[in-house]
Structure formats: C-alpha cells, structure tokens
Amino acid sequence: MTQRNRRNVLPGRRGFKARGEQLDSRFLLSGITVVVTNTGDSVNAGTLRSAITRIDIGGDATSQNIIDFNIPNSDPGYNPVNGTFTIQLLQQALPQITKPAFLDGTTESTFLGQPALVVIDGRFLKFPVDGLTLAPSAPGSTIDDLEITNFDGSGIVIESANNTIGGTAAGAGNILVSNATAGVSIALSPIAPGQGSSNQLLGIGIGTDPGGADLGNGIGVIVGTQHNTIGG
C-alpha cells in the first residue's frame, strides 16, 4: 500500500463543544464509559486497544458504551503542527467492537479546549487488516470525528445494523483515507436478516482530507446490503 505523509488538517477544520454543550442521549444510557488517555498500542490501561477490550468484555449489550479521548498534548503521538494525535498500530489489528459503542473523537477537542484530531494509522501492519470493525453483536454504534488511514483492508467494517458513522454537526464527520480495500465496507456477507442494514454514513471525508486533497482508498464505500444511507 502506498504510504502518504501526514497533512496539516486542522486549521479552519472544525470547532469544538464544551462538555456542557454535549448533553445528549448518551447520558441516559446504562453502558460503561472508558477513556483513552494515550496514543500507545498495548493492552495497558489508557490505550484504544484496552478501551475496546474493556467494552467487549464488560460493556452493556443493549445500550451504547462510550469511548472518550482525553489525551494530553504532552503525549509522544501528538503533532502540534497538525493538531493530531496518532495511534500507530504496531503488531496486530484492534479487537472487533462486539458491544454497542460510541467512539467520540470530538471529546479530544473538548478535553484540550482547542481543535484536535485522533488518527488511527495501520501503516506498520504488514498484512491485510481493517481499522475499526463493528461486529454483528454491536448494532446501534456511532463513530465520530476520527481519521482512519493506511490499512491494507477497509478503514471501517460494518457487520451490524442501525449504526451511524459521522454526522451532520460540526466536528462529527470522520476522515477515511489511504485504505487499500475501501473507506467503509458494509456487511458484504450478511448472515441474518437485516444485518448490515439501516446504517448511516454522514459528513464523512472518504478519500479526501478537509482541504480537498485526494488521498484515495481502494474503493470509497462497498455496500453489500440494502437500506443504508450515504451522505447528508
């Protein structure tokens, strides 16, 4: 897979909301909340890998579990020029997300009090692998304000129903670029009626960064089921 240099993505890109402005349905749910506090790639507490594992093992199976990002700008993965926090996967894929989850990248900007972007980068994995996978047991999940890049598979794979990738509000969209298979793949081989349906892809930069640079994916979106919404 062709490797591309990081871009300067943040100037003029998005605003951020103070925590007090983020009162939404998440506060009515009974799922657990896990906070990512560093860009490391290990099973230790504070990593994205650990956060997904905790939700898979101990999360609620019927309501959204929350992954927030509160990474300080002293973290070695922080690039002050781009305003990005890059999580480099070094040895293996992230665990599949097997419980309903809300990966809320907007919380990083809120935590810092300035625009920021969390990047999940798979360039060092030497075999086909996807970025984030929503398993059949994780319907109703949401992924907001993340960049997922440089995977030899797809940036996001959706195997469940009623998920929202991005959104129409400022800062809710994701950036999916430089992934060999596709930016997003939706339920290529559904094994149950309705699996992979009623998903929404909203406000997403697929193949382009916020400045309009063409960074590509193998295919933008692969859809193997009906009744999904792309755009908006």
Side-chain angles (χ1 to χ4, degrees):
M1 179 172 51
T2 301
Q3 303 299 331
R4 295 172 170 84
N5 294 328
R6 294 286 313 136
R7 293 90 52 217
N8 192 347
V9 297
L10 286 176
R13 176 176 178 271
R14 64 188 69 215
F16 65 92
K17 295 182 179 180
R19 171 63 75 178
E21 297 178 52
Q22 293 186 328
L23 292 177
D24 56 32
S25 59
R26 299 187 303 158
F27 291 93
L28 304 178
L29 303 179
S30 58
I32 66 173
T33 297
V34 186
V35 180
V36 176
T37 58
N38 66 77
T39 60
D41 182 30
S42 71
V43 298
N44 296 330
T47 67
L48 178 59
R49 185 178 300 278
S50 172
I52 294 173
T53 300
R54 283 187 60 188
I55 284 176
D56 287 349
I57 294 173
D60 191 273
T62 59
S63 59
Q64 279 190 339
N65 304 278
I66 312 303
I67 295 180
D68 284 346
F69 295 84
N70 291 357
I71 307 173
N73 56 19
S74 58
D75 187 276
Y78 178 58
N79 184 328
V81 175
N82 298 331
T84 54
F85 292 83
T86 300
I87 299 171
Q88 298 275 9
L89 303 188
L90 300 176
Q91 295 183 342
Q92 59 185 336
L94 290 168
Q96 291 192 356
I97 299 167
T98 61
K99 303 279 180 65
F102 188 152
L103 281 75
D104 190 357
T106 69
T107 54
E108 183 59 42
S109 295
T110 300
F111 172 70
L112 290 181
Q114 64 188 50
L117 179 65
V118 175
V119 180
I120 305 171
D121 192 325
R123 73 179 63 212
F124 293 121
L125 301 179
K126 304 302 182 183
F127 47 89
V129 64
D130 302 309
L132 294 173
T133 298
L134 299 176
S137 56
S141 293
T142 301
I143 300 174
D144 275 359
D145 195 25
L146 298 174
E147 179 174 337
I148 304 173
T149 184
N150 290 321
F151 285 89
D152 276 334
S154 295
I156 296 175
V157 173
I158 302 173
E159 298 177 347
S160 52
N162 300 307
N163 302 292
T164 301
I165 309 302
T168 57
N174 299 280
I175 301 171
L176 304 167
V177 294
S178 303
N179 299 295
T181 300
V184 181
S185 296
I186 302 178
L188 301 185
S189 301
I191 59 175
Q195 182 181 318
S197 65
S198 301
N199 296 292
Q200 297 186 80
L201 310 183
L202 305 173
I204 299 177
I206 298 180
T208 61
D209 72 4
D214 183 4
L215 302 173
N217 290 289
I219 297 174
V221 181
I222 298 175
V223 181
T225 57
Q226 297 179 332
H227 310 299
N228 297 287
T229 299
I230 300 174

